[in-house]
Amino acid sequence: MKLCFNQATTLENSNLAKDLEYCEKHGYDFIEIRTMDKLPEYLQDRSINDLANYFRSNHIKPLALNALVFFNNRDDAGYKETIEEYKNMLEVAGKIGAQYVVAVPLVTETKILKTDIKESCVEVLKELSDLAEPYGVKIALEFVGHPQCTVNTFGQAYDIVQTVDRQNVGLVLDAFHFHAMGSDIEDLKNADGSKIFIFHIDDTEDFPIGFLTDEDRVWPGLGAIDLDSIITILKEKEYNGPASVEIFRPEYYQLDAEEAIKTAKETTLEVLSKYYDIEVASK
C-alpha cells in the first residue's frame, strides 16, 4: 500500500510548496491537492508547468485533485458552473499527471428525495465520466458522513456507482465519513473492491452518529473508529491503492507543518503496518 497526504491535514499552517517539500522528505508517495484554496494560492507566483516539473523531478506524485464540490441536484446555472470547473480540473490533472478528481455531493438543508438524489448523481457522474475519458482520469465519489449531505453513507454511494457502471467512476472510502453516519460494515464486505479508488484514513472522538464534524478528527489509531475492521476488509478484497491521511483538526493546525506531516505518517503507518507492508520511499 502506498502512503498519501491530504492537504486538509495542514490546511491552516502550510501551503502546497511546503507540503510537497515535507512530504517528499518524509517519504510520502502521493499528495491530494486542494483545488479550492491551496492550488490557487500556489499559482499566484508559480505555474502549472512549475508544478508538473516538480512532480517529474521528485518521488512524490499527485494522486487526486480534491475536490469538485456539490456536483449533484444543482439548478441550471450551478450545473454549468460545475461542468466548467470540472473541465478546468481535467486540464490541470492532465498536465500534472493526477489520477483522480474527487467529487463531493451536495450538502444542503433542503429536503430532497433519495430517488431524485440518485437520479441526479448518476446523470452527472456519467457526463463526468465521458469528459474524463480522453484524459485517462478517474472520478472518485466521496460520500460525506453528515446528515445534510445528499449522499452520506457508503451503501448509498456504492449503489450510485454501481448504477453508473463506468470503469472510471468509483469511490473514496473515508473512515471518518463511514463511521460518522453509521455506514453498514456489511455493505463494505459485499462491495466490489475494485470500485474503491482511494482510502482516506483518519480517526475521531467518540461522539454520537449525526453529531460528528470534521474538527472532531484525530490521528489514526487515537480515536473511536473501528479501523481494524475496515482495513481487514480492504486487505481481504486485495485493495492495494493508496491510504491518504486526512485530518481537519484545529489543534493540529497549531503544529509546525513538518511536525504535522511527520506525525501523520507515523500514526498512519502504526495502524496500517499490522495489515500491509509499506515501504517508505525516503526519510
Side-chain angles (χ1 to χ4, degrees), residues 104-117:
V104 175
L106 179 67
V107 176
T108 178
E109 294 183 1
T110 301
K111 290 184 178 180
I112 305 174
L113 291 172
K114 289 181 70 176
T115 53
D116 294 335
I117 294 168

Side-chain angles (χ1 to χ4, degrees), residues 189-206:
K189 288 179 180 178
N190 294 328
D192 177 357
S194 69
K195 286 299 182 182
I196 300 172
F197 288 170
I198 302 172
F199 173 45
H200 280 176
I201 187 167
D202 35 41
D203 217 324
T204 184
E205 295 183 272
D206 196 12

Side-chain angles (χ1 to χ4, degrees), residues 77-96:
Y79 168 74
K80 289 177 181 177
E81 289 177 5
T82 297
I83 295 301
E84 286 307 306
E85 179 184 358
Y86 178 67
K87 288 178 178 178
N88 290 333
M89 293 173 79
L90 289 175
E91 290 293 328
V92 172
K95 289 177 180 177
I96 68 174

Side-chain angles (χ1 to χ4, degrees), residues 15-17 38-51:
N15 56 43
L16 179 53
K38 296 305 181 183
L39 182 58
E41 180 185 48
Y42 178 91
L43 293 176
Q44 288 176 5
D45 54 11
R46 299 176 179 85
S47 69
I48 288 296
N49 287 335
D50 291 332
L51 187 56

Side-chain angles (χ1 to χ4, degrees), residues 65 67 69 73 84 98 103 112 123 129-130 137 147 154 163 167 181 198 209 211 215 231 234 241 248 255-256 267 278:
L65 300 180
V69 297
N73 296 96
E84 286 307 306
I112 305 174
E123 180 180 354
S129 170
D130 290 339
V137 173
F154 177 87
T163 303
Q167 187 177 6
M181 282 297 292
I198 302 172
I209 289 173
F211 285 87
E215 67 181 14
I231 298 169
L234 289 176
F248 297 80
L255 301 173
D256 175 79
T267 54
I278 302 177

Side-chain angles (χ1 to χ4, degrees), residues 26 44 47 53 64 78 94 98 107 117 124 127 167 183 205 216 236:
H26 291 284
Q44 288 176 5
S47 69
N53 288 334
V107 176
I117 294 168
V124 177
E127 180 170 3
Q167 187 177 6
S183 287
E205 295 183 272
D216 300 320
E236 290 172 350

